Amino acid sequence: MHPGRIFLRGARALVWLAAHRVPLSRRDRFMREWEGELTNESDVESGWRLLVAALGAFADARALRTVNGMKGGTMGDWIQEFVNDVRVALRGMKRSPGFTVTAVATLALGLGGSAALYSLLDRVVIQPLPYPQPERLVRLSNQVPGVGPNEVWAMSTAQWAFLTDEATTLESMGLYRGRGGNVMTAAGPQRVRSVAVTASMMDLLGMRASVGRLISPDDDTPAAPMVGLISHGFWQRVLGGDPGVVGTTLVYNDRPVEIIGVVDRGVELPGWPVDMAPEMWIPLRIDRGGTFHNNHVFPSIARMADGATPASVEEELRGLTDRLPDVFPQAYGRRFIDGYGFRTQAIPLKESVLGDLASTLWILFGGVGLVLLIACTNVANLFLVRMEGRRQELALRGALGANRTTLGRYVIAEGLTLALLGALVAVALAYWAVPALTVLAPAELPRVQGASLSVNAVVVTFLLALAGGLALAAYPLFTHVRRGGGLLESTRSTTASRGRQRLRGALVVSQVALALTLVVGAGLLVQSLSALRSADAGIEAEGVLAVDLYLSRARHEGDSDVWSAYRDILNRVRAIPGVASAGMSEELPVSGGFGCTVQGFEDETVYDVVKEQGGTTCAGQEATSPGYFEAMGIPVLEGRGFTDQDLDDPTRATVVVSKAFADRFWPGRSPLGQGVGPGGNTEGPFYHVIGVVGDVARATSEGEAPLSQPAMAIYYPIQHNPEETWNQGWWPGAVSLVVKSDLSDPSSLFPAIRQAVAQVDPEIPLTNLTDMEAVVAEASSRLAFVSLLLAIAAGTALLLAAVGLYGVISYVVSRRTREIGMRMAVGAQPGDVQRMVVGGAMSLVALGVVMGTLLSLASSRIVAGLLVGVEPTSPAAYAAAAGLLTLVAVTASWIPARRAARIDPLEALRAE
């Protein structure tokens, strides 16, 4: 092509650029006029004259904007120009795929993790509970500091009857209690999850019936026929979705129950996992005219009256609680109310359901937020390097007439484009990650089932991306654009300005500090999880299988009949090949149970001991069979355990206690032969202690060390002494059968166990087949979940910090190529160069480690509540984190250092 035509095309390109400074309404005319000018002066031999003429187009464009009274044109013009800048930015990113992929992937990791965890946080913590007027719902319960510092009891039927009549700050109050029931179906006996509720719960929970009706106040009276609601899942699974189910009868616990309706889908009972939702709802049928007892076993929900607050509710209930001994003297004594510090509290229902889970999720979200900050600093470093390489381009744009506003808009467009691309990829990652998190989440995490990427999370992601994009553009905007001087700075300087060096160094230090904070937190949680899982739960869980079984009250009426059936079952199960031992108990260690029931003592000096200790006579009493301690691996420390003879002759009245029980009530002496009365019985007959067994974990709390408060347990025989009256009416028809096996897979015994039970009673359903090792592991599931997520965040932070450090050192090496070449030319050895590069990097890392250590110490209280058996200032965690981060940093800096050591001095000097 003739050189003149090259100049002509260059001139037309300049006019095209100038045209984008013209208001949109005048742009086409401007282009036509200038095309005519160029054509009139199209002498190809006068190319330089054409270029000079074309530069005048920028002056004309500025004049047209001034005539129109606009500095930046109309909003439409500004948007159009911004869109054009975005197109230019996209083309530039396409030409730099390495930078684009690295930056977008880095942002996507940080934003994607934030979006996924925010979706869980939004569903579990932020969104209101799915009930009518959830802000007015409270959980009523009773604090009993005289029993224990954190002891909380549910409500009683006496309190419900009294408060529904007297409390003016409560609009409505409901009770419920989870139960299990045997239901006869065409496929045989089945165990269903059931709950007995007051009719008021229908309105409090906003329940609806997809078929039939709900429980009414008329159904909730002792004289009313027994009716029930069934869940939608039970209706479909067991009854085939029969539309005529209303009015039919279901045999539930040997009693006919008329089905009056099918509960609509989506009904949640507060505190119950969705996958364990009730399958049957029956009326509680409290007898207001009957005898009330001090039976605090009913969870309660209440709706506050208009204008009431939890504080005002508690203030009124304080006065009403003081009146309980006067209204119900048979259930409450003044000594009980005052001596135990008994008082009723009102906690917002959402706070009660979530407990400390909300703070746990916020901690996780904060950890992911640190990853996002590290990702942003990493991309900021990359963006700065990219802007450094484009200073010449920006200088040329300024020389061609682009003002600071135009250049600033272009820089902002590039930062926003990069951030929004990262946000799009992040949303895709989060869409996949949220279901994975719900699978990993512990069962105790409420409302998490079925969670998906929320709209709020997407909005937050793009808002964060918008803020991140503006932050990326901030530094070049205020240095290269606002000051202007940086535009014409020589691009041949061997090093970047000290200001830009300090900024890049500060970003690296920030990355290292934030990464260290995350690694320390993850290390503390991993230490805590290890301590929790290695703690002695008081049992030998390996090879132990547990299954729940439920006898029919109609087929096994009394204690002796129940024990006869249990003895036959145990004998048959013990005869199964592979079974080492078997026993039964009401509750299993670790998973819960071991409540608090007042005990009486034959030796009155025990009460003096308790008074001196400032404790109570409350303990967890469990009905237990022979063989249970052997199957669970609970050691007998003194005396002996139960034998069949103890239960065959229940008047023997034997009892076994835990070591913690013995130490509290008979410190320094043997408890063997001592008399104990269940339920606070001090009149006799007493049960006499025949043995002391090891302590077991009542429940492995996430907030305290295992066995720091071991179960204060007393084990009564399944068949009680018929001469004592406290347990009259007690029926041990629901127990856990525990089997110790020598097989590698104990669950393979389940069919044989089922057959053995069926041989005794074919109508006994077996449910909840459980591996005790899994039960022990489940006790630490929340800590394991938090540890895993924080470990992933820490690993990501390490990776991003390594990439950031590598990128900065590589850039510094490339900018110092001439200097390194000169050093090697005058005698520097490759090892010297490597030490110089790595040493410079490690000075930044050392500063980051110091700052990260201080930050970790300052934030240690945040994770302290999650730790078990580990101090938040554990030196091992800090040292391990610093060592790991240093190792990663040395590796990341050694690679570019090794490349620098291979520079050919002659090539380096020639390149400059």
Side-chain angles (χ1 to χ4, degrees):
M1 181 180 293
H2 194 282
R5 294 194 177 277
I6 295 176
F7 283 113
L8 177 61
R9 290 193 175 186
R12 285 175 173 167
L14 292 176
V15 170
W16 181 83
L17 287 173
H20 285 78
R21 300 284 300 150
V22 175
L24 197 61
S25 58
R26 301 288 303 276
R27 189 168 297 169
D28 289 341
R29 181 177 176 183
F30 180 87
M31 288 287 292
R32 288 196 299 271
E33 289 177 352
W34 269 96
E35 179 64 26
E37 291 286 335
L38 294 179
T39 302
N40 292 336
E41 301 185 28
S42 59
D43 181 1
V44 294
E45 302 298 334
S46 307
W48 282 106
R49 191 155 40 88
L50 287 176
L51 283 177
V52 172
L55 289 173
F58 289 93
D60 286 350
R62 185 171 300 174
L64 284 173
R65 299 179 79 86
T66 304
V67 169
N68 281 270
M70 298 175 294
K71 289 184 178 181
T74 64
M75 179 61 69
D77 292 336
W78 195 94
I79 292 174
Q80 178 63 45
E81 291 170 349
F82 185 79
V83 170
N84 289 334
D85 288 336
V86 170
R87 290 173 179 168
V88 173
L90 286 172
R91 286 196 295 268
M93 292 178 190
K94 187 177 180 180
R95 289 193 296 269
S96 304
F99 162 79
T100 304
V101 170
T102 303
V104 169
T106 301
L107 283 174
L109 280 175
L111 289 170
S114 300
L117 205 56
Y118 186 83
S119 292
L120 291 188
L121 194 64
D122 183 44
R123 180 176 175 85
V124 176
V125 179
I126 298 175
Q127 291 181 13
L129 296 176
Y131 309 120
Q133 299 176 298
E135 71 284 353
R136 292 174 57 190
L137 297 180
V138 292
R139 170 87 73 188
L140 300 181
S141 57
N142 301 290
Q143 291 179 307
V144 197
V147 173
N150 299 313
E151 193 71 25
V152 176
W153 289 358
M155 301 293 283
S156 68
T157 54
Q159 287 180 294
W160 176 82
F162 184 50
L163 296 180
T164 51
D165 292 338
E166 299 293 333
T168 60
T169 54
L170 299 179
E171 181 182 286
S172 179
M173 176 182 174
L175 296 184
Y176 63 94
R177 188 180 186 188
R179 293 179 176 173
N182 296 350
V183 174
M184 292 303 300
T185 67
Q190 288 196 21
R191 189 69 178 174
V192 297
R193 296 182 298 273
S194 62
V195 60
V197 298
T198 57
S200 53
M201 290 292 293
M202 304 291 102
D203 174 63
L204 288 169
L205 299 181
M207 294 179 64
R208 301 177 302 276
S210 56
V211 178
R213 64 177 180 86
L214 300 174
I215 296 172
S216 69
D218 292 336
D219 300 318
D220 196 18
T221 60
M226 179 58 75
V227 297
L229 297 168
I230 57 175
S231 70
H232 191 278
F234 182 84
W235 179 48
Q236 293 287 334
R237 188 184 73 257
V238 178
L239 303 180
D242 180 11
V245 67
V246 174
T248 61
T249 298
L250 199 63
V251 178
Y252 168 79
N253 281 345
D254 306 311
R255 294 182 298 171
V257 175
E258 180 187 351
I259 304 302
I260 61 172
V262 177
V263 179
D264 204 358
R265 295 177 180 177
V267 175
E268 297 180 13
L269 191 61
W272 283 40
V274 174
D275 58 349
M276 296 294 288
E279 298 170 300
M280 177 171 285
W281 304 67
I282 58 176
L284 191 54
R285 304 201 302 179
I286 299 172
D287 185 1
R288 284 178 172 268
T291 301
F292 290 98
H293 300 281
N294 192 336
N295 56 343
H296 292 271
V297 294
F298 298 92
S300 176
I301 298 173
R303 179 182 292 124
M304 297 183 294
D306 286 335
T309 64
S312 65
V313 170
E314 287 190 359
E315 183 178 358
E316 182 186 27
L317 295 185
R318 189 177 300 115
L320 293 175
T321 299
D322 287 338
R323 293 172 53 192
L324 286 176
D326 301 327
V327 181
F328 304 103
Q330 75 280 15
Y332 296 95
R334 178 60 56 190
R335 182 178 178 182
F336 169 79
I337 296 293
D338 297 338
Y340 282 77
F342 185 86
R343 58 182 181 271
T344 305
Q345 61 182 358
I347 301 176
L349 183 59
K350 188 173 183 179
E351 180 181 329
S352 172
V353 170
L354 293 177
D356 60 351
L357 287 172
S359 60
T360 300
L361 287 179
W362 279 114
I363 289 172
L364 283 175
F365 188 66
V368 174
L370 291 182
V371 174
L372 178 59
L373 283 177
I374 295 172
C376 288
T377 56
N378 205 336
V379 174
N381 244 331
L382 293 173
F383 197 73
L384 286 177
V385 170
R386 180 174 172 81
M387 287 294 108
E388 285 288 325
R390 303 183 67 182
R391 283 165 39 229
Q392 186 175 10
E393 174 191 341
L394 295 176
L396 180 60
R397 285 173 176 263
L400 293 177
N403 57 23
R404 294 177 180 177
T405 301
T406 303
L407 292 176
R409 189 185 62 236
Y410 172 74
V411 172
I412 292 173
E414 184 154 355
L416 288 177
T417 301
L418 188 66
L420 292 177
L421 284 175
L424 288 173
V425 179
V427 168
L429 288 175
Y431 180 80
W432 168 84
V434 173
L437 287 179
T438 61
V439 172
L440 294 173
E444 66 185 65
L445 195 64
R447 307 173 63 200
V448 73
Q449 290 83 2
S452 59
L453 182 64
S454 67
V455 175
N456 290 342
V458 175
V459 172
V460 169
T461 300
F462 278 96
L463 288 177
L464 289 174
L466 181 64
L470 294 175
L472 288 177
Y475 182 78
L477 196 65
F478 283 93
T479 54
H480 293 6
V481 174
R482 186 175 69 83
R483 295 177 184 174
L487 296 175
L488 299 178
E489 185 181 334
S490 173
T491 61
R492 293 183 59 84
S493 61
T494 58
T495 60
S497 71
R498 290 185 177 180
R500 287 191 287 275
Q501 282 185 342
R502 285 195 294 268
L503 177 61
R504 281 194 293 271
L507 291 176
V508 170
V509 170
S510 301
Q511 283 182 299
V512 172
L514 294 174
L516 181 70
T517 303
L518 274 176
V519 175
V520 167
L524 288 172
L525 288 174
V526 170
Q527 272 188 281
S528 182
L529 183 62
S530 176
L532 185 60
R533 288 185 169 173
S534 62
D536 183 11
I539 64 173
E540 295 177 4
E542 185 178 359
V544 178
L545 190 70
V547 61
D548 296 342
L549 54 86
Y550 305 88
L551 272 65
S552 165
R553 183 183 292 269
R555 296 166 64 86
H556 307 277
E557 295 183 359
D559 276 12
S560 61
D561 194 21
V562 169
W563 165 238
S564 177
Y566 284 158
R567 182 180 54 201
D568 290 348
I569 290 173
L570 287 172
N571 288 335
R572 293 177 184 275
V573 170
R574 290 166 183 160
I576 297 173
V579 172
S581 56
M584 296 176 178
S585 183
E586 278 187 290
E587 300 285 354
L588 298 177
V590 180
S591 61
F594 296 97
C596 196
T597 304
V598 175
Q599 304 296 310
F601 294 91
E602 185 177 20
D603 182 0
E604 294 186 359
T605 62
V606 170
Y607 297 102
D608 297 331
V609 172
V610 172
K611 185 176 180 180
E612 291 176 2
Q613 294 175 344
T616 70
T617 61
C618 186
Q621 58 182 44
E622 305 296 333
T624 309
S625 80
Y628 172 74
F629 301 125
E630 292 80 1
M632 273 293 187
I634 301 173
V636 176
L637 305 178
E638 187 177 358
R640 64 177 178 85
F642 292 120
T643 64
D644 285 0
Q645 289 74 23
D646 292 316
L647 280 81
D648 290 340
D649 181 9
T651 58
R652 286 189 175 191
T654 55
V655 70
V656 176
V657 300
S658 69
K659 183 178 184 300
F661 188 100
D663 290 343
R664 168 178 286 187
F665 299 116
W666 302 285
R669 58 185 176 133
S670 173
L672 298 184
Q674 297 292 334
V676 183
N681 174 25
T682 59
E683 302 296 331
F686 294 97
Y687 288 79
H688 291 89
V689 178
I690 60 170
V692 179
V693 296
D695 294 329
V696 299
R698 174 177 58 185
T700 306
S701 171
E702 300 289 351
E704 62 185 22
L707 294 181
S708 62
Q709 292 183 352
M712 194 71 57
I714 178 168
Y715 302 92
Y716 286 93
I718 283 179
Q719 183 172 195
H720 288 215
N721 181 6
E723 297 178 0
E724 58 97 357
T725 60
W726 186 86
N727 281 296
Q728 294 300 315
W730 180 86
W731 186 75
V735 295
S736 293
L737 170 63
V738 179
V739 178
K740 174 73 171 180
S741 172
D742 298 327
L743 302 179
S744 59
D745 180 16
S747 62
S748 63
L749 294 173
F750 185 65
I753 295 173
R754 182 190 293 277
Q755 183 179 3
V757 173
Q759 288 171 353
V760 176
D761 187 343
E763 294 188 9
I764 297 179
L766 273 65
T767 60
N768 299 334
L769 179 66
T770 305
D771 183 339
M772 283 305 298
E773 287 186 287
V775 171
V776 174
E778 182 66 24
S780 59
S781 60
R782 190 202 307 184
L783 185 57
F785 176 68
V786 177
S787 301
L788 175 63
L789 294 190
L790 207 56
I792 293 174
T796 305
L798 276 176
L799 176 63
L800 292 177
V803 170
L805 184 62
Y806 171 81
V808 168
I809 300 303
S810 294
Y811 176 74
V812 170
V813 167
S814 67
R815 299 288 293 177
R816 298 177 66 182
T817 299
R818 183 179 178 84
E819 175 195 343
I820 293 172
M822 293 178 64
R823 286 175 178 270
M824 298 187 70
V826 296
Q829 300 298 312
D832 299 329
V833 174
Q834 287 184 350
R835 283 189 291 273
M836 178 187 70
V837 174
V838 173
M842 295 314 296
S843 62
L844 297 176
V845 173
L847 181 57
V849 168
V850 172
M851 293 181 62
T853 301
L854 296 176
L855 183 60
S856 299
L857 290 171
S859 60
S860 61
R861 289 180 296 176
I862 297 176
V863 298
L866 298 175
L867 302 180
V868 177
V870 178
E871 292 297 325
T873 55
S874 169
Y878 285 78
L884 179 61
L885 192 58
T886 301
L887 179 62
V888 170
V890 168
T891 304
S893 58
W894 179 79
I895 297 174
R898 185 168 178 267
R899 187 168 59 247
R902 293 180 175 180
I903 292 176
D904 185 341
L906 295 179
E907 292 294 329
L909 296 174
R910 188 180 299 116
E912 292 294 327

